[in-house]
Amino acid sequence: MIWPFNRETRNAATIASSDPYLSEWFSLRGQGPGAVNPETLLSNSAVAVRCVNIRSEMLASVGLFLLRRSADGGRARADDLPLYGVLHDLANPQMTAFEAREFLIRSLDLTGNGYARLERDGRGQVIGLYPVRPQDVMVETLPSGRALYRVSQRAGGTITLLQEEMLHVRGPSRDGIMGISAIQYGRLAMSLRVSQAETAKSLIDNGLRPSGVMSYDERIQAADRVKIRESVAERLQGSANAGQLIIMDGGAKYTPLAWSAEDAEFLESQKLSNEDVARLFGVPPTSVGITDKATYSNTEQEARSLVQNCLGPLAARVETAMIRCLLTPDARRTLYIEHDLAALLRGDVQARFEAYRIGREIGALSPNDIRRRENETPIPGGDVYHQPSNWTPLGTIPEAAA
């Protein structure tokens, strides 16, 4: 189904100067105290880079399927529809489904919104997804309450798209239209991490040498002071000069004024800031390389927490946005979109096959069900479900005994 008739008029809408998202935009771009933009954060925090990468890469690596509900309550893959291939194989002729989904999730994490232009065929079926940079999109609300998107083109000019022509995945929102990223919500914590990185860089550039006072027993002229300061800076400042020995004559005495990085517990504060960054993105610390408190037991638990508490809600956010934007009201009655997160929860081989054995013994799984989960071909007679004999209803005679 497509909307060829009675389409809403694409009238230009005005934006009030008091628009609250203008302030969000300027804050996102790093204007004012306590503000930080995505580029600055990623260039100064390895933990932030890993958080964004692990969320986008892991979710894009699992299968995303278009499924059809059957009359008996079962489900099957709707691989006869063009949308199935768009979600699972190729989003468009230039991008794989993995690349497009990774782009969407990275945009979602960094700006709070992910966009993709939809391409439909004559029957209204989605045949292509073209991701769009969030900074190129302006969202407006029509009097009817529907969304309108103005997209800036790199070659110049803009195009206007209605909500049936755009996939919009939004993060936590204040008004239900525009999403807000973790960077905007935790801007002060993120800004602290950036400031610490800049401070560490400054310490390295100065050869980890603290400031201090060079004193002389006799009075020296102003010109001599400048020469002494330049001489010391030339010999000591810079990472290449760290550890150099300088010899001063004339009874010079040097008294340091600033604490070292260790005395100020600077390194410890950086660790806490790294944990805050991981916490804001919802990623367990051990998943991003923070192993100070890691043990054999909690590492496995945090790996499971990464899927259940971090990727699970993110997958649901993407799925529901795609159902809203890619499927018509009639299609939603029988079709839905879902990630296959089971592969991330499998664990090791022994634990996985122990779970299969239990499922087989209680009659929940057949041999072919297990083989399909392991991507193996079914076998003849493998669709039989067994029932334990001690589960036989009271008052009945098992078939084998009869």
Side-chain angles (χ1 to χ4, degrees):
M1 176 180 178
I2 197 170
W3 297 265
F5 306 107
N6 299 324
R7 297 175 70 91
E8 297 182 76
T9 305
R10 301 178 180 180
N11 293 331
T14 59
I15 302 177
S17 59
S18 59
D19 188 344
Y21 290 101
L22 290 178
S23 61
E24 288 293 339
W25 167 257
F26 288 123
S27 177
L28 183 65
R29 301 307 303 169
Q31 304 293 328
V36 59
N37 62 65
E39 292 79 9
T40 302
L41 176 64
L42 295 182
S43 63
N44 287 278
S45 175
V47 172
V49 173
R50 186 54 186 155
C51 286
V52 174
N53 287 347
I54 198 172
R55 284 166 57 91
S56 60
E57 292 173 356
M58 288 192 68
L59 193 60
S61 66
V62 303
L64 179 61
F65 301 102
L66 178 65
L67 302 172
R68 179 183 288 114
R69 300 183 184 91
S70 58
D72 59 357
R75 66 178 188 174
R77 296 181 182 180
D79 52 6
D80 57 321
L81 299 178
L83 181 57
Y84 181 92
V86 172
L87 299 178
H88 188 266
D89 302 317
L90 291 178
N92 60 66
Q94 289 77 36
M95 299 183 72
T96 65
F98 177 97
E99 294 169 341
R101 288 159 56 196
E102 182 187 26
F103 185 98
L104 277 174
I105 299 168
R106 287 184 64 89
S107 299
L108 178 65
D109 282 346
L110 295 177
T111 67
N113 298 275
Y115 303 97
R117 179 176 60 85
L118 305 182
E119 180 183 0
R120 299 180 183 268
D121 60 13
R123 298 182 300 169
Q125 300 285 342
V126 176
I127 60 175
L129 285 177
Y130 293 83
V132 181
R133 298 190 309 168
Q135 55 266 40
D136 294 337
V137 180
M138 177 182 294
V139 184
E140 303 174 11
T141 303
L142 298 173
S144 62
R146 294 161 60 81
L148 180 142
Y149 301 88
R150 299 190 184 276
V151 182
S152 300
Q153 301 293 294
R154 295 187 179 183
T158 62
I159 60 174
T160 305
L161 303 175
L162 297 176
Q163 66 180 33
E164 293 86 7
E165 301 169 306
M166 179 73 82
L167 168 62
H168 182 186
V169 184
R170 63 176 66 92
S173 178
R174 292 174 180 167
D175 64 352
I177 298 175
M178 295 296 296
I180 301 176
S181 69
I183 299 176
Q184 292 169 279
Y185 269 122
R187 60 168 62 94
L188 290 180
M190 301 291 192
S191 178
L192 175 62
R193 181 67 195 95
V194 173
S195 298
Q196 290 174 337
E198 293 174 349
T199 301
K201 180 65 166 56
S202 177
L203 289 173
I204 294 175
D205 289 342
N206 289 281
L208 299 178
R209 298 294 183 179
S211 60
V213 175
M214 186 76 71
S215 59
Y216 290 84
D217 294 335
E218 299 178 357
R219 181 180 180 84
I220 59 175
Q221 300 298 323
D224 294 332
R225 295 177 184 178
V226 174
K227 292 181 181 180
I228 294 173
R229 185 181 296 111
E230 292 177 351
S231 175
V232 173
E234 181 181 355
R235 292 295 306 273
L236 292 184
Q237 288 184 352
S239 57
N241 293 326
Q244 293 287 339
L245 177 65
I246 185 171
I247 300 175
M248 302 292 293
D249 55 7
K253 298 178 181 179
Y254 178 74
T255 305
L257 295 180
W259 290 348
S260 66
E262 292 78 10
D263 292 336
E265 298 184 354
F266 180 65
L267 298 178
E268 191 66 26
S269 66
Q270 283 187 299
K271 293 180 182 179
L272 295 177
S273 294
N274 285 333
E275 293 179 1
D276 281 342
V277 172
R279 189 176 295 112
L280 286 169
F281 280 105
V283 179
T286 57
S287 300
V288 293
I290 303 176
T291 58
D292 296 348
K293 303 176 183 178
T295 63
Y296 178 79
S297 59
N298 71 3
T299 300
E300 183 178 356
Q301 293 175 353
E302 290 196 355
R304 186 174 297 273
S305 176
L306 173 66
V307 178
Q308 295 178 340
N309 301 330
C310 178
L311 299 182
L314 178 61
R317 186 182 300 278
V318 175
E319 292 164 3
T320 52
M322 288 185 170
I323 291 174
R324 173 176 57 86
C325 299
L326 305 183
L327 300 179
T328 64
D330 291 337
R332 294 186 201 121
R333 298 177 180 177
T334 56
L335 299 174
Y336 63 100
I337 299 170
E338 188 176 84
H339 289 88
D340 182 13
L341 299 179
L344 300 178
L345 293 172
R346 284 182 175 181
D348 56 72
V349 176
Q350 181 177 355
R352 187 165 74 252
F353 275 84
E354 179 66 17
Y356 290 155
R357 182 186 65 80
I358 296 174
R360 178 81 172 91
E361 290 179 353
I362 66 175
L365 297 175
S366 70
N368 280 345
D369 289 337
I370 298 173
R371 293 182 64 84
R372 292 187 186 98
R373 290 171 182 260
E374 292 295 316
N375 294 321
E376 299 289 343
T377 56
I379 59 176
D383 292 316
V384 178
Y385 295 87
H386 295 289
Q387 181 180 5
S389 58
N390 60 340
W391 286 16
T392 303
L394 295 176
T396 61
I397 301 176
E399 294 180 3

